[in-house]
């Protein structure tokens, strides 16, 4: 998960930082790109639940039973919204 998020961060002008510990992750949105909430709503439209935290952070907390194909779905959805 962290490797995929760091790849997105390197390609996206919207993301300033990625923090992860295990399957918990935070994607910090640059302040000039707006708040995290609209990005979370776009992710929900794609079937990905995400929570905005501290205005600028998208919090991702997938289940511990995450399968490889579900991880791919998550990464591709994040790419579509953030890149």
């Amino acid at each position: 998960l962290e490797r995929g998020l760091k790849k997105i961060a390197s390609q996206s002008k919207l993301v300033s930082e990625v923090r992860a510990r295990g399957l918990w992750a935070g994607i910090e949105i640059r302040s000039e790109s707006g708040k995290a909430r609209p990005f979370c709503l776009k992710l929900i439209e794609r079937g990905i639940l995400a929570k905005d935290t501290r205005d600028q952070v998208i919090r991702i907390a997938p289940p511990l039973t995450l399968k490889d194909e579900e991880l791919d779905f998550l990464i591709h959805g994040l790419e579509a919204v953030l890149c």
Side-chain angles (χ1 to χ4, degrees):
L1 176 63
E2 186 175 5
R3 186 173 54 237
L5 294 177
K6 296 234 184 226
K7 180 183 173 195
I8 291 169
S10 71
Q11 297 172 347
S12 176
K13 295 178 181 178
L14 304 172
V15 177
S16 65
E17 183 182 1
V18 169
R19 297 181 293 276
R21 172 109 25 190
L23 289 178
W24 274 39
I27 304 165
E28 189 163 344
I29 301 298
R30 295 183 191 281
S31 58
E32 59 269 13
S33 300
K35 297 190 184 265
R37 181 102 178 124
F39 297 103
C40 290
L41 294 175
K42 289 179 184 177
L43 289 168
I44 288 171
E45 290 173 3
R46 294 180 164 275
I48 297 169
L49 295 179
K51 171 77 172 110
D52 57 310
T53 306
R54 298 186 179 214
D55 288 332
Q56 298 305 124
V57 178
I58 299 170
R59 183 174 57 196
I60 304 288
L64 296 176
T65 58
L66 186 69
K67 297 177 183 165
D68 288 341
E69 55 271 6
E70 294 167 329
L71 178 60
D72 291 341
F73 177 81
L74 171 61
I75 296 297
H76 290 302
L78 287 165
E79 282 178 336
V81 170
L82 298 173
C83 291

